[in-house]
Amino acid sequence: AAYFAWKQPGTYAGIVLLSPPDNFGLQRKDAGEHYDEYLTLAKRLSATDADTLMPAKAYEDPISAASYFALFAHPEDSGMFTYGDIELMKRSAIGHLACPMFITFAENGEAIVHDIQTCIQAISAVSPAPERIECKVIQGANHSYHFREELLASALSTWVTS
């Protein structure tokens, strides 16, 4: 949603981001010292056969070399970011959105590398309109809000009607 709001300014009255993950940061963390090696491999493989799959250790799910390279070589092009890189966040979709945003995080098991408060501070730091951002931590929830759907729905309803 953030990517489309960035590419189509003025078409969205507001954006709701539920547990925005740190995909780029998590991938760097998971790949560790092999991160650059995987990018080089993805570039080489996708040049000859874009559908070739990356090795299983490169990513948590099966992914083609072309998709891997497209996602991780230039994350700002796909709207991805990492909370630990403010400059990258500024170049990604989230750094360009001035519309109202309601962003939720789950108290437990979030798909982030940094603590929730650091993530919230990073979003505010890169936003062109930080006063239009409301962040809420859903107590007791996990990343998918399992068994906390009513708390999430209540928070969303309050934001939408305020």
Side-chain angles (χ1 to χ4, degrees), residues 32-139:
E33 64 187 34
H34 301 290
Y35 182 78
D36 291 332
E37 174 187 328
Y38 290 147
L39 270 180
T40 301
L41 176 63
K43 183 177 183 178
R44 184 174 51 79
L45 291 174
S46 63
T48 57
D49 182 2
D51 294 330
T52 301
L53 292 179
M54 290 293 292
K57 292 181 180 180
Y59 195 66
E60 64 184 323
D61 295 314
I63 188 170
S64 72
S67 293
Y68 188 94
F69 190 73
L71 283 174
F72 298 113
H74 304 286
E76 63 272 16
D77 292 343
S78 63
M80 290 183 12
F81 59 86
T82 179
Y83 294 102
D85 186 339
I86 297 295
E87 291 307 311
L88 174 59
M89 286 183 75
K90 286 179 183 176
R91 293 190 312 271
S92 75
I94 202 144
H96 292 87
L97 298 178
C99 64
M101 285 190 282
F102 183 64
I103 303 169
T104 65
F105 289 94
E107 181 181 35
N108 304 308
E110 261 311 355
I112 54 178
V113 176
H114 303 282
D115 64 89
I116 292 172
Q117 287 307 314
T118 299
C119 296
I120 291 171
Q121 290 169 352
I123 290 169
S124 294
V126 302
S127 173
E131 70 282 358
R132 300 183 86 185
I133 296 174
E134 182 178 339
C135 294
K136 177 145 181 82
V137 177
I138 306 298
Q139 299 301 312

Side-chain angles (χ1 to χ4, degrees), residues 15 30 34 93 96 135-136 146 155-156 159 161:
I15 297 291
D30 291 346
H34 301 290
H96 292 87
C135 294
K136 177 145 181 82
H146 194 57
L156 286 166
W159 183 73
T161 59

Side-chain angles (χ1 to χ4, degrees), residues 22-33 35 112-114:
D22 189 349
N23 289 336
F24 190 61
L26 290 169
Q27 181 60 24
R28 280 190 169 278
K29 179 182 173 192
D30 291 346
E33 64 187 34
Y35 182 78
I112 54 178
V113 176
H114 303 282

